[in-house]
Amino acid sequence: MRGIVKRFPTVVALDNVDFKVRKGEIHALLGENGAGKTTLMRILYGMYKPDAGEIIVEGRRASIGSPRDALKMGIGMVHQHFMLVDKLTVLENVALFVEEGFRISFNGIRSRMEELSKTYGLKIDLNAKIWQLSAGEQQKVEILKTLYRNVKLLILDEPTSVLTPIESEELFKSLRRMVETGKSIILITHRLNEALTASDSITILRKGKVVAAEVKPREASRLDLVNMIVGRPLEFKPRINNARKGGKPVLEVERLRVLDDRGLIAVEDVSFVMKEGEILGVAGVAGNGQRELVEALTGLRRVEKGTVKIMGMDVTNSPPKKIIRLGVAHIPEDRFRYGVAPDLSVAENMIMKLYGEKFSRGIFMDAEAIQRETEKLVQEFEIVAPSVNAPVSLLSGGNIQKLIVARELSINPKILVASNPTSGLDVASTNYVHWVFHRLRQAGGSVLLVSEDLEEVLALSNRILVMKEGKIVREFGGGVSISEVGLAMTAGAA
Ligand SMILES: Nc1ncnc2c1ncn2[C@@H]1O[C@H](COP(=O)(O)OP(=O)(O)OP(=O)(O)O)[C@@H](O)[C@H]1O
Ligand SMILES: [Mg+2]
């Protein structure tokens, strides 16, 4: 890609970008939230038209006007939000994606899919319905679907943000096999370790410009990457202070049972107490009941058995509104399902939880105050947005996440229930969010930190609970090692 320029009404998303990927390599594309990574790749995949610049594929100037053109040229993309039809099977989804104009032969598709799945080590049940699959499995379907079209270049936009650590490792093995057969991969990620260990070459964008191209991972350290991505050192180094002795219990959970969407037991006999001024970590492999636990605590899911007390008050099966009023903030796992209303503006999303309180003037909303408060938060969290009146759907993935974090902290919570709070955030924003959590703790607030990122849990938590198969199987104090916690997550009981 040469001299690529892309302007949106209020921002130059890409400013004269040169980007080169070689045959048979995994090329990592790094950069801060809003740097322009997704936009650059959408141009390559024919979803956006650049304002200037050209694309050269295997030595020839290409005109890519749509994803169809891109696929014809051997370029495929897997988006962060999957585009599969829930009610159909894997096979039916692939059939939909196969070039129209032919009569569909399910047997033909099946045997080709089986072959691809074997070649690249992407195991999947072709007869399963999409809704029955985990995020990791759905991603395999997306990748296989694209491979089916014989792509030579596969673009993956933050593929590991929905994967467990084990699934990520498997994905990288499959990607290795692909490049060994001469394909090329572009990998967008915020996880620097992945760029350092799984890629062959790295390009870094900052504010729409290339700051480093074709960096070799062998010749760069994590710190080098941070400096290139952020352009300044990170300020906060987490250091665990001990929780205040004798802190009051703020959240008491007793013998909780919660069911999952299918009606099966997801949380069983879970009891714990979180105290004032502590960060309580919940570690576990995704899908071991963490999501259902969090939803039950925040009033989004029914409690079948047991009790939840907040500040000593029984809130079992209370509506979310009541729980919010008690000072409970929630950073949800699924940012689009519970996190934001994408069609509403940044400002509207920012003040959602304060409606009728801080900003009402009689029956009207105080528009000016809303604007001021939003601008303050946008600045504090360095949220990149076209304007506070722009719909949230125009923000980059990481900036949407920052908006949710900013909003939840703006209500000055006593308790923050946070699910993977830094997923999709760049290194600097992650660092900032960690600092904010720490500050909340210093001020006497408490954080229930549910995260698949073990490093994050260990760096911040005063105590760590390990969940496995719906139960709490271990509790650790501070100073425990990653391998100890990792072992408890997979091996189980004390
Ligand atoms: N359709 C659009 N209309 C207006 N602005 C847009 C649009 N798409 C992206 N932008 C803006 O372009 C800039 C780059 O966004 P992009 O999504 O490419 O960032 P990114 O590097 O992928 O970030 P992240 O790591 O958060 O996903 C951002 O400022 C974003 O708000
Ligand atoms: Mg993006």
Side-chain angles (χ1 to χ4, degrees), residues 221-252:
S221 69
R222 191 187 151 84
L223 192 62
D224 294 336
L225 292 185
V226 171
N227 286 335
M228 287 186 269
I229 292 168
V230 188
R232 58 182 150 88
L234 297 178
E235 284 129 35
F236 175 65
K237 295 238 163 34
R239 214 181 304 120
I240 302 170
N241 63 338
N242 283 321
R244 302 175 176 194
K245 292 271 181 295
K248 287 197 302 246
V250 290
L251 172 67
E252 294 159 90

Side-chain angles (χ1 to χ4, degrees), residues 38 157-158 397:
T38 298
D157 195 349
E158 297 187 38

